[in-house]
Amino acid sequence: MTVDNKLPSPETELAARIVRLKKEKGAVILAHYYTLPEVQRIADFTGDSLALSQQAARTDARIILFAGVHFMAETAKILSPDKKVLLPEPAAGCSLADSCRAEDFAEFLKSYPGHTVVSYVNTSVGVKALTDICCTSSNAVDVIRSLPSDAKIVFAPDRNLGNYIRGVTGRDMVVWDGACGVHEEFSLEKILELKKKYPEAKVLAHPECKKTVLLAADYIGSTAALLRFASTDPADTFIVVTEAGILYQMRKENPGKTFIPAPPEDASCGCNNCAFMKMVTLDKIYRALLDESPEVVLDEEIRRKAEGSIRRMLEIGK
């Protein structure tokens, strides 16, 4: 008889404790594709912003623990005000959401009366409360096309996504000048260098990237769309131009394929990883479940105003 003397790793033991605790608490764990692999492994549901919003709206769990950044947990609370929403790391913000403060956006909108306001879900609850309809990178084109053809539109906050959508739809759009710190840093020069090294590789890019980077892409799409493309396309090597956390799911779903993270301009900075997403750890998740804290609390009047913009988005779907 062979005896296995290997002891469980601390990570495995903690993950098991989290699984037991979430059952005891009646909790569901939602995790974004950009979080750490060990966080994605213990989640009940992983997805991009749209899928996570849909899941938050339909869950019957008593507690929603959001393994992601602040605006995502806010969105869950907006859609499920009767549930306790936990954010394991309150300091997990978003450079894109931070680039559009609600008070600044309200002042900006005074210059554009009569415009329909479309805001990316990567915004604060205050910005959503000023918004007519939200969108994600998965459904942004559909959201814009759902509006009357003569509608004048304000789009916030991502200039790269906004300009991409404007190019695809040809619509009359005023675009707020914000950007994601991760997607803004990708280097066209370094991507082309990778293409020389891997000439058969296909370049997959998120529409939050700069136009020069998108012009080099073989396929442009949201995180969920990039995952689908990587699984269905016959190519076996891909250069992935988005936050590197997505590579965990890509490799998990396609073990026979090669996925290469595109480097930022300064490869030493690790800027193709969102530092905020990586702040969410198993230890913080366990502690949040145990204490049922930190909890997301929203002003009810602002929450109600924000809810309409998200509900209208969810009616359109993908």
Side-chain angles (χ1 to χ4, degrees):
M1 182 177 68
T2 301
V3 178
D4 185 358
N5 292 317
K6 290 183 179 179
L7 295 174
S9 70
E11 176 188 314
T12 303
E13 290 182 341
L14 185 55
R17 288 159 64 191
I18 289 170
V19 171
R20 289 194 298 269
L21 189 56
K22 72 181 179 182
K23 290 179 181 177
E24 293 171 9
K25 297 276 188 174
V28 63
I29 298 177
L30 309 183
H32 195 274
Y33 287 134
Y34 293 167
T35 53
L36 295 166
E38 59 267 28
V39 169
Q40 295 185 50
R41 282 195 288 270
I42 56 92
D44 296 288
F45 188 87
T46 56
D48 65 357
S49 295
L50 178 61
L52 294 175
S53 296
Q54 292 168 329
Q55 190 68 18
R58 71 170 68 105
T59 184
D60 58 0
R62 181 179 74 89
I63 295 173
I64 299 172
L65 185 142
F66 218 111
V69 296
H70 200 275
F71 77 81
M72 295 177 178
E74 280 188 343
T75 301
K77 185 65 176 180
I78 291 167
L79 293 170
S80 301
D82 58 326
K83 300 184 184 304
K84 181 175 286 189
V85 177
L86 306 178
L87 181 63
E89 177 48 76
C94 171
S95 58
L96 179 55
D98 290 345
S99 72
C100 184
R101 299 191 307 165
E103 54 267 38
D104 297 333
F105 193 52
E107 191 66 26
F108 178 81
L109 291 178
K110 292 178 182 178
S111 299
Y112 300 99
H115 284 58
T116 300
V117 181
V118 180
S119 291
Y120 199 21
V121 75
N122 300 39
T123 48
S124 69
V125 62
V127 170
K128 289 181 178 72
L130 298 167
T131 296
D132 295 303
I133 182 169
C134 282
C135 72
T136 71
S137 54
S138 289
N139 65 8
V141 170
D142 290 338
V143 166
I144 295 298
R145 286 177 172 162
S146 75
L147 302 176
S149 59
D150 60 348
K152 294 183 177 180
I153 301 165
V154 168
F155 182 88
D158 192 275
R159 59 176 175 265
N160 294 322
L161 179 60
N163 289 331
Y164 170 75
I165 296 167
R166 182 164 52 192
V168 170
T169 64
R171 302 300 290 272
D172 182 3
M173 291 171 55
V174 177
V175 179
W176 177 270
D177 189 22
C180 165
V182 172
H183 292 94
E184 187 79 354
E185 290 299 317
F186 287 113
S187 163
L188 174 61
E189 180 182 357
K190 293 184 181 297
I191 292 168
L192 294 178
E193 288 175 1
L194 280 175
K195 276 291 286 183
K196 288 181 181 178
K197 187 175 180 180
Y198 304 96
E200 302 304 317
K202 288 193 174 179
V203 178
L204 311 182
H206 193 282
E208 287 181 33
C209 295
K210 292 178 288 190
K211 184 177 181 179
T212 52
V213 169
L214 297 181
L215 289 173
D218 296 290
Y219 181 77
I220 301 167
S222 67
T223 48
L226 296 182
L227 276 167
R228 287 194 297 270
F229 187 89
S231 295
T232 57
D233 191 83
D236 60 9
T237 304
F238 299 89
I239 297 167
V240 183
V241 196
T242 189
E243 209 276 350
I246 195 177
L247 270 69
Y248 168 72
Q249 287 292 333
M250 287 182 165
R251 289 166 177 158
K252 178 182 174 183
E253 295 177 11
N254 306 277
K257 296 185 178 184
T258 299
F259 297 96
I260 305 161
E265 189 69 43
D266 179 6
S268 66
C269 73
C271 299
N272 56 354
N273 280 285
C274 174
F276 292 119
M277 287 285 191
K278 289 353 183 220
M279 293 173 74
V280 182
T281 64
L282 290 183
D283 186 63
K284 291 175 182 177
I285 289 172
Y286 177 75
R287 181 55 58 184
L289 282 174
L290 189 65
D291 298 340
E292 297 190 16
S293 176
E295 182 179 358
V296 175
V297 179
L298 302 177
D299 177 88
E300 180 58 18
E301 182 179 357
I302 294 175
R303 188 204 66 78
R304 285 199 305 268
K305 290 179 180 178
E307 183 178 11
S309 65
I310 301 174
R311 295 286 181 191
R312 284 187 282 274
M313 173 189 77
L314 295 177
E315 289 171 5
I316 293 172
K318 289 190 179 180

